[in-house]
Amino acid sequence: MILGIDIGGANTKIASSDGKSVELHYLPLWKNSKLPEALIDISSRLAPEKVGVVITGELADCFPDKEAGLSYIIDAVNNAFDNAWFLDSSGVFTKEKRRSIAAANWMASALIAGKDFGDCIFVDTGSTTTDIIPIIKGKPLADVTDFKRLQRSELVYSGALRTNIAALLDTVEVNGTRSRISSELFSITADAFLVLGLISENEYTCDTPDGAGKTKTDAMRRLARVVCADLTEISETEIISIAEQAMEKQVMDIEDAINDVAKRYELNTIIACGLGEFLVKKAVKELGFDSILMSDKYGEELSKVFPAYAVARLIVENQ
Amino acid sequence: MILGIDIGGANTKIASSDGKSVELHYLPLWKNSKLPEALIDISSRLAPEKVGVVITGELADCFPDKEAGLSYIIDAVNNAFDNAWFLDSSGVFTKEKRRSIAAANWMASALIAGKDFGDCIFVDTGSTTTDIIPIIKGKPLADVTDFKRLQRSELVYSGALRTNIAALLDTVEVNGTRSRISSELFSITADAFLVLGLISENEYTCDTPDGAGKTKTDAMRRLARVVCADLTEISETEIISIAEQAMEKQVMDIEDAINDVAKRYELNTIIACGLGEFLVKKAVKELGFDSILMSDKYGEELSKVFPAYAVARLIVENQ
């Protein structure tokens, strides 16, 4: 088996090159990271002959800088697997510890998307962020650092689960009145999409902001807190409206960024994937562009772990 | 001694009615609250004959609803003090557990401000929030719940220490380019004001987002992360510029809210206090209104714990 692994700050995703093994593990690096043990467990269960790895978790704020983050993650991988290769942000596999290994998961996806779909914009909305990668003649043209990509609309730090509602919205309409909101981490996009029926409790694969449960009532209580209310003060209809307004703002942010990139490169075919594929679909519909959903092409499970699947396929195709 | 206590979600402030004893304790209710022990310690050290209490910590997300939050806090107070009186949001002292005790710290301040300064708008920017209370003929006219006050510009959930930079800003200018930002809790206003020299390390009286130190370099590292950079990727000048942009946005938010309230009640004298008095001063200057700084009138220490001082004075004046 050839295995691909995508190690992010919050989630570690794995997929085999044939697409038959798929796993998504919530392994937040910033608190008592269980990454080393989890990788050893994966290694002993699946015993892959070769492993391709992409890394984005180096920005987690448990690390003093990206160098230290990369080093920790690379050591954990090498400790678990004998034959692991890291993709760098120029699309080259290496065994060396190099700064250019940082934030390269979109490179794997984009190289595969370029092969499978030609000129396009590859958009992957995960739990936390959205990558927007222009691809022309098989070559991904995004900048190589997250810092630069934020400036070029190639990275929107907004995702389907972990995004703070207070980071999305400035104000919200409640009972026909515009209201300011709390700036705490009281509620996240996973609460909004759970309340709207767009994700299930099982798909709420991250911690809740208040450490409480993942039922609809729990999520409603957290959303109410965004306007400093509890469930005795605000109706379900108004809470659903807050969730909808958060989604609208998020879709608009993604839409604006896609539009920026589309104009810069004169591209109008969008390949959508990730946990938040439904958000990309909405954004693209607003823009009137063509879209191809990875879930239609490869199935929902592979769409959610696409960078892991892509890096596994790159290992096979480079052999 | 008559003691006033203001119990917020993050900080508990105490002051005696003569203004000679002043203490500010960082006691976050949402994590292993040490409030009960801290109150017992205060009681045995200061042995006040009577205590006035105002409460705002009931919204903390460790509590399922405000009722439960109030009940926990009231029990902790009564366990520590024999003769404690709670101010409710209509300005009446009670010993009963009543929902109206919630979020009443601004009522104490506003009653005293009305006595000392006549018709005015009382603005208290604390670590986390800003209260904006119109007062006419000694009567505070703000709505009684945080939920309603957010809708009436009488509460801006933005403060001098704990506010997430990602909740303040949508984008930021870096090196002459507009950049999107990370939506994580990577950096807070305390980092911005420390970097700008507006607060000292000692005044950074809350946890750091990454659990690291409170030096200028630590704060700069956290601010850099807001644009997904580390200190090798971005200059000190650019980080200072991010801090300035966060302050400008925060001042503008406070300014807009003061202006709303000023227009509604035709008031243009502003009484400013709190840890973030300097922000209120900037906002009022932009508006061209008259301002009186509580720190000029009562000294800096009392300005920072004004609701505690005010509730102590109300106890004395009601005797």
Side-chain angles (χ1 to χ4, degrees):
Chain A
M1 174 196 272
I2 306 293
L3 195 67
I5 308 185
D6 173 16
I7 301 172
N11 290 293
T12 289
K13 302 163 185 175
I14 70 171
S16 57
S17 60
D18 60 9
K20 286 179 183 159
S21 290
V22 171
E23 297 178 18
L24 194 156
H25 300 275
Y26 177 60
L27 290 169
L29 294 183
W30 60 89
K31 50 179 194 185
N32 308 318
S33 165
K34 296 202 171 64
L35 181 70
E37 298 85 331
L39 292 174
I40 288 169
D41 172 64
I42 291 164
S43 175
S44 65
R45 276 193 293 115
L46 303 180
E49 55 195 88
K50 204 167 177 183
V51 177
V53 183
V54 283
I55 296 176
T56 59
E58 74 283 348
L59 189 70
D61 68 3
C62 48
F63 304 121
D65 55 30
K66 296 181 183 180
E67 211 84 43
L70 274 179
S71 184
Y72 172 86
I73 296 168
I74 292 170
D75 288 346
V77 170
N78 284 330
N79 190 42
F81 300 96
D82 292 333
N83 196 11
W85 291 83
F86 300 90
L87 191 75
D88 79 4
S89 52
S90 66
V92 173
F93 281 105
T94 178
K95 277 184 167 291
E96 266 174 57
K97 275 189 193 176
R98 284 186 204 155
R99 173 81 184 213
S100 59
I101 294 172
N105 73 343
W106 57 266
M107 175 53 76
S109 304
L111 286 171
I112 292 296
K115 287 186 189 198
D116 291 2
F117 304 102
D119 293 356
C120 64
I121 300 175
F122 171 80
V123 185
D124 182 352
T125 297
S127 66
T128 309
T129 58
T130 298
D131 292 316
I132 299 176
I133 313 296
I135 304 166
I136 293 179
K137 293 187 178 147
K139 201 171 157 27
L141 298 174
D143 209 303
V144 293
T145 69
D146 286 351
F147 177 46
K148 292 282 183 190
R149 289 202 297 131
L150 278 177
Q151 296 168 34
R152 294 164 53 91
S153 299
E154 293 161 354
L155 170 61
V156 181
Y157 209 112
S158 185
L161 299 180
R162 292 186 55 256
T163 304
N164 187 349
I165 300 294
L168 274 179
L169 296 172
D170 278 329
T171 60
V172 73
E173 202 183 295
V174 189
N175 295 321
T177 304
R178 191 124 301 266
S179 173
R180 286 181 166 74
I181 66 170
S182 159
S183 57
E184 305 281 356
L185 178 56
F186 277 153
S187 183
I188 54 180
T189 42
D191 295 317
F193 299 135
L194 190 90
V195 163
L196 295 175
L198 293 166
I199 65 166
S200 66
E201 284 186 45
N202 284 338
E203 288 169 315
Y204 194 136
T205 53
C206 64
D207 291 331
T208 59
D210 58 358
K214 295 177 180 177
T215 66
K216 192 177 166 189
T217 307
D218 290 318
M220 291 205 333
R221 195 183 54 243
R222 287 188 286 270
L223 284 164
R225 221 171 251 141
V226 170
V227 288
C228 294
D230 68 14
L231 293 181
T232 67
E233 294 173 286
I234 187 171
S235 70
E236 180 165 347
T237 313
E238 290 306 321
I239 292 173
I240 288 172
S241 161
I242 292 172
E244 282 167 347
Q245 291 174 66
M247 180 169 72
E248 275 161 29
K249 176 61 164 49
Q250 190 170 35
V251 168
M252 213 173 66
D253 287 346
I254 294 171
E255 196 184 312
D256 285 348
I258 293 175
N259 201 28
D260 260 14
V261 174
K263 276 189 191 157
R264 192 181 309 133
Y265 291 100
E266 296 178 6
L267 292 167
N268 54 18
T269 297
I270 314 297
I271 313 300
C273 80
L275 289 167
E277 198 187 73
F278 63 97
L279 295 167
V280 183
K281 192 178 164 184
K282 278 179 199 287
V284 173
K285 198 177 162 195
E286 292 290 325
L287 289 166
F289 291 160
D290 298 327
S291 71
I292 298 167
L293 305 183
M294 283 291 190
S295 60
D296 287 344
K297 169 108 182 166
Y298 295 107
E300 268 191 29
E301 291 314 298
L302 273 188
S303 171
K304 287 179 191 167
V305 301
F306 198 75
Y309 170 65
V311 73
R313 266 189 56 189
L314 286 175
I315 287 274
V316 173
E317 292 172 19
N318 280 10
Q319 272 175 339
Chain B
M1 173 198 273
I2 307 292
L3 195 66
I5 309 184
D6 173 16
I7 301 172
N11 289 293
T12 290
K13 301 164 185 174
I14 70 171
S16 56
S17 60
D18 61 7
K20 287 180 184 159
S21 289
V22 171
E23 297 179 16
L24 195 156
H25 300 276
Y26 178 61
L27 290 168
L29 295 183
W30 61 88
K31 48 177 195 187
N32 308 318
S33 165
K34 297 203 172 65
L35 181 70
E37 298 84 332
L39 292 174
I40 288 169
D41 173 63
I42 290 165
S43 175
S44 65
R45 276 192 292 114
L46 304 179
E49 55 195 88
K50 205 166 177 182
V51 177
V53 183
V54 283
I55 295 176
T56 57
E58 74 283 347
L59 190 70
D61 68 2
C62 47
F63 304 120
D65 55 30
K66 295 181 184 180
E67 211 84 44
L70 275 180
S71 184
Y72 171 86
I73 296 168
I74 292 170
D75 288 347
V77 171
N78 285 329
N79 190 42
F81 300 96
D82 292 333
N83 196 11
W85 291 84
F86 300 90
L87 191 75
D88 79 3
S89 52
S90 65
V92 173
F93 280 106
T94 179
K95 275 184 167 293
E96 266 174 56
K97 274 188 194 178
R98 285 186 205 155
R99 173 79 184 217
S100 60
I101 294 173
N105 75 342
W106 57 267
M107 174 54 77
S109 305
L111 286 170
I112 292 297
K115 286 185 191 200
D116 291 2
F117 304 103
D119 292 356
C120 65
I121 300 175
F122 171 80
V123 185
D124 182 353
T125 298
S127 67
T128 309
T129 58
T130 297
D131 293 316
I132 298 175
I133 313 296
I135 304 167
I136 294 179
K137 293 184 180 150
K139 200 170 157 26
L141 298 174
D143 208 304
V144 293
T145 68
D146 286 351
F147 177 45
K148 292 282 183 190
R149 289 201 299 130
L150 278 177
Q151 295 168 34
R152 294 164 54 90
S153 299
E154 294 162 353
L155 170 61
V156 182
Y157 210 112
S158 184
L161 298 180
R162 294 185 55 255
T163 304
N164 187 350
I165 300 294
L168 273 179
L169 297 172
D170 277 331
T171 60
V172 73
E173 203 182 296
V174 190
N175 295 321
T177 303
R178 191 125 298 267
S179 174
R180 286 181 166 74
I181 65 170
S182 159
S183 57
E184 304 281 356
L185 178 55
F186 276 154
S187 183
I188 54 181
T189 42
D191 295 318
F193 299 136
L194 189 91
V195 163
L196 295 175
L198 293 166
I199 65 167
S200 66
E201 282 186 46
N202 284 337
E203 289 170 314
Y204 194 136
T205 52
C206 65
D207 291 331
T208 58
D210 58 358
K214 296 178 179 176
T215 66
K216 191 175 167 191
T217 307
D218 289 318
M220 292 207 328
R221 195 183 53 243
R222 288 188 286 269
L223 283 164
R225 223 171 248 140
V226 170
V227 288
C228 295
D230 68 14
L231 293 181
T232 65
E233 294 174 286
I234 186 170
S235 71
E236 180 166 345
T237 312
E238 291 306 321
I239 291 173
I240 288 172
S241 162
I242 293 172
E244 282 168 345
Q245 291 174 67
M247 181 169 72
E248 276 163 29
K249 176 62 166 47
Q250 189 170 34
V251 168
M252 213 173 65
D253 287 347
I254 294 172
E255 196 184 312
D256 285 348
I258 293 176
N259 202 29
D260 260 16
V261 174
K263 276 190 192 158
R264 192 182 308 135
Y265 292 100
E266 296 181 6
L267 293 167
N268 55 19
T269 297
I270 314 296
I271 314 300
C273 82
L275 288 168
E277 199 185 71
F278 65 97
L279 295 167
V280 184
K281 191 177 165 186
K282 278 179 198 287
V284 173
K285 199 176 161 195
E286 292 290 325
L287 289 166
F289 293 159
D290 296 328
S291 70
I292 298 168
L293 305 183
M294 284 289 192
S295 59
D296 288 344
K297 170 106 180 163
Y298 296 107
E300 268 192 29
E301 291 313 298
L302 274 188
S303 171
K304 287 180 192 166
V305 301
F306 198 74
Y309 170 64
V311 72
R313 266 190 56 189
L314 285 176
I315 287 275
V316 172
E317 291 172 20
N318 280 10
Q319 270 174 341

